[in-house]
Amino acid sequence: MFRETDKRYLKYAALIALLLTLLVYFIQTDPRNFDRSILYSSESEPMIFPGDSNSPTTPIIAPPESQVSVTPDSGVLRMNEPPTDCPAPKRALIGMFVTTDPVSTNRRNLLRATYKTANAKLAHEDQIDFMFVYGNAKAWSHAYELALEKMSFPHDTVITEREENLESGKNLDWLKYARNIMYAEHPTWKGKYCLRYRFIGKTDDDTVINVPRLSQKLKGLAPNKSHYVGRDPPKQQHVKYMTGLLYILSPDIVEWIHFSPIPPRHVAGYEDIQVGVWIRKGKLVVNFVSDVLIHDLEESPWSYNARSTPKSLVIHWCKDPQRLFRCIADLYGTPKATVQLLNNRKSIGYHSQRLQTLFPQLKNYQIPNEIKLMGENSPSLQIDAALLKQVIAPLIPRYYISDTITNEDWLQILTHMAARVPWLREEPLHIGIWRAIAAMNIRSTPGWWERSVAQALAERAVNGTLSWSEVNRIRNSFMPTLPTNI
């Protein structure tokens, strides 16, 4: 039996042994001898791929050297061919430029869910992955907002080295980052690389993309060309480029951007224009693919606005909840349950209250239990249009059009006005009505063009109404001034 003093000595000895063990451990792991380089990834180090839902923790290695060369005389890009037995790449990876602003956060979360649902219905090689790209923090609170995003969505959140900006290189940071996750190491052939994506793109958080349609658009492009896909503005600047709502580049262009000294020298300026500047200064031969089915909402002040169609690929200017709803609904359809949520007496009453600030006489009309919706037009616009008809319908035959007005005519006139309610507050009502008439049967009409035609129609009808033939004659006289690439 141990005496009490012996027990105390054993306790002290055990404590001393523990302290010595810890001391040896800390000496061996002296932070001054710690290799901090393992905290930072380089172009040739394994990285965790953040966008692949099938294998979110698959390590990849990007080739350290350039995989593309430029033919000196012709400016044609030549990219090294990957092994023929590589796994099929996905269609595209698109970086959505976002901020931590609450409005941006709401849009981002809705689009994240929308695109996840769309991709789930596609084959692996047709899918388009999305990442959400932030500029670095400018303030203490911003740093925590970014930390929360990275903590909550680690696999699709990218934070660039530069601070949040529109005109000083955020797009270059993204494209360089995207190049490094554009590749995967060949599954069996060490030192060889496969493409994860056939295209790399950039978009904004007020842009909605129909993933299946865009995927098919990209699938149809020739694989042996350098493609620059998007929407060129009707009035080009000093350089040819695609607008920032969406542009997509083939891998050879992304590879060139990563290694060329030209882009870092030309980052100041609007990010979409600068991509065109890089291509021009690099004297690259590029296949510019502009599509009018990539467009703004019809009421946008930008010149590539247009009415949505069942074939629209991308819609931009989806800034507030009602417009975001229209963009998603126009591109993906509106489920019956969602229509019922909007098309009922209570919701129609809310629509009426909004319009009563502009048309107080709507208070005198009874709210219907539901509104009969027509065709594939946005249900939200049709609800407002039906309410506006109660006020506008008595005016048209008296002051505007003497001929018969069909249901389709009414739908075009009234949905045009419903999409532009804020504008109706800023100009005389008769101009707003003539603008809607001027825009009939034309998919894309810039605001300035509508106003010019509306003023001419109003002057002609100063003492009465016009027939459709008179309207068309005046409209046709303005057709030569309508931009041709919208």
Side-chain angles (χ1 to χ4, degrees), residues 101-117:
D101 176 85
V103 175
S104 177
T105 298
N106 291 337
R107 287 198 297 256
R108 177 170 67 256
N109 290 336
L110 287 167
L111 292 176
R112 180 184 271 119
T114 299
Y115 297 150
K116 181 178 180 181
T117 300

Side-chain angles (χ1 to χ4, degrees), residues 184 186 256 266:
H186 191 278
W256 177 83
H266 302 277

Side-chain angles (χ1 to χ4, degrees), residues 81-156:
E81 290 291 334
T84 56
D85 59 345
C86 280
K90 288 188 175 182
R91 187 71 60 215
L93 170 65
I94 297 177
M96 182 185 300
F97 281 25
V98 294
T99 70
T100 57
D101 176 85
V103 175
S104 177
T105 298
N106 291 337
R107 287 198 297 256
R108 177 170 67 256
N109 290 336
L110 287 167
L111 292 176
R112 180 184 271 119
T114 299
Y115 297 150
K116 181 178 180 181
T117 300
N119 272 318
K121 300 175 183 178
L122 299 177
H124 174 85
E125 58 269 24
D126 292 328
Q127 292 177 3
I128 297 176
D129 282 339
F130 292 84
M131 301 194 71
F132 301 88
V133 185
Y134 302 80
N136 218 326
K138 291 184 176 181
W140 174 84
S141 60
H142 188 202
Y144 275 95
E145 291 167 351
L146 291 175
L148 284 169
E149 287 292 332
K150 190 67 175 177
M151 184 167 60
S152 302
F153 304 100
H155 297 310
D156 64 6

Side-chain angles (χ1 to χ4, degrees), residues 227-238:
H227 297 292
Y228 182 12
V229 184
R231 178 66 190 269
D232 60 344
K235 293 183 178 180
Q236 286 284 353
Q237 303 294 321
H238 58 285

Side-chain angles (χ1 to χ4, degrees), residues 72-281:
D73 296 334
S74 65
V76 174
L77 290 171
R78 301 294 183 191
M79 192 163 181
N80 298 343
E81 290 291 334
T84 56
D85 59 345
C86 280
K90 288 188 175 182
R91 187 71 60 215
L93 170 65
I94 297 177
M96 182 185 300
F97 281 25
V98 294
T99 70
T100 57
D101 176 85
V103 175
S104 177
T105 298
N106 291 337
R107 287 198 297 256
R108 177 170 67 256
N109 290 336
L110 287 167
L111 292 176
R112 180 184 271 119
T114 299
Y115 297 150
K116 181 178 180 181
T117 300
N119 272 318
K121 300 175 183 178
L122 299 177
H124 174 85
E125 58 269 24
D126 292 328
Q127 292 177 3
I128 297 176
D129 282 339
F130 292 84
M131 301 194 71
F132 301 88
V133 185
Y134 302 80
N136 218 326
K138 291 184 176 181
W140 174 84
S141 60
H142 188 202
Y144 275 95
E145 291 167 351
L146 291 175
L148 284 169
E149 287 292 332
K150 190 67 175 177
M151 184 167 60
S152 302
F153 304 100
H155 297 310
D156 64 6
T157 298
V158 177
I159 302 171
T160 66
E161 182 178 346
R162 293 175 226 258
E163 291 183 351
E164 184 60 52
N165 69 86
L166 291 175
E167 302 176 17
S168 59
K170 182 178 177 180
N171 64 329
L172 179 59
D173 287 349
W174 157 244
L175 292 172
K176 281 179 168 287
Y177 178 89
R179 181 268 175 188
N180 282 338
I181 59 175
M182 186 171 71
Y183 293 97
E185 190 175 26
H186 191 278
T188 59
W189 197 349
K190 189 172 179 60
K192 297 294 182 179
Y193 304 93
C194 300
L195 284 174
R196 285 179 175 265
Y197 297 101
R198 295 191 183 278
F199 294 91
I200 299 293
K202 175 267 171 184
T203 189
D204 292 328
D205 68 345
D206 61 345
T207 298
V208 180
I209 297 168
N210 184 289
V211 172
R213 293 176 201 162
L214 180 61
S215 179
Q216 287 302 304
K217 170 76 177 181
L218 298 176
K219 185 178 181 178
L221 299 178
N224 58 346
K225 289 187 177 182
S226 303
H227 297 292
Y228 182 12
V229 184
R231 178 66 190 269
D232 60 344
K235 293 183 178 180
Q236 286 284 353
Q237 303 294 321
H238 58 285
V239 63
K240 189 173 179 63
Y241 71 99
M242 299 296 175
T243 57
L245 67 94
L246 173 73
Y247 50 82
I248 297 175
L249 305 168
S250 52
D252 53 348
I253 301 177
V254 176
E255 186 76 7
W256 177 83
I257 289 172
H258 185 85
F259 285 97
S260 171
I262 292 174
R265 297 172 186 164
H266 302 277
V267 295
Y270 291 116
E271 48 92 7
D272 48 2
I273 297 178
Q274 292 311 112
V275 175
V277 169
W278 303 340
I279 290 172
R280 188 192 66 178
K281 289 188 174 293

Side-chain angles (χ1 to χ4, degrees), residues 297-299 306-308 320 322-323 325-327 329-330 334 342-343 351 354-355 371-374 376-389 410-422:
L297 281 174
E298 62 175 273
E299 70 270 26
R307 291 192 183 97
S308 305
D320 56 49
Q322 194 256 10
R323 289 191 172 105
F325 173 86
R326 284 171 50 200
C327 292
D330 286 354
T334 312
L342 293 173
N343 194 14
H351 282 75
R354 170 176 172 263
L355 294 174
I371 288 169
K372 184 178 179 180
L373 303 179
M374 296 176 57
E376 298 176 344
N377 296 79
S378 170
S380 61
L381 286 188
Q382 289 195 61
I383 291 170
D384 281 346
L387 294 170
L388 287 173
K389 187 175 183 179
W410 278 120
L411 186 63
Q412 288 198 54
I413 293 170
L414 294 168
T415 53
H416 181 282
M417 296 180 69
R420 295 161 176 80
V421 167

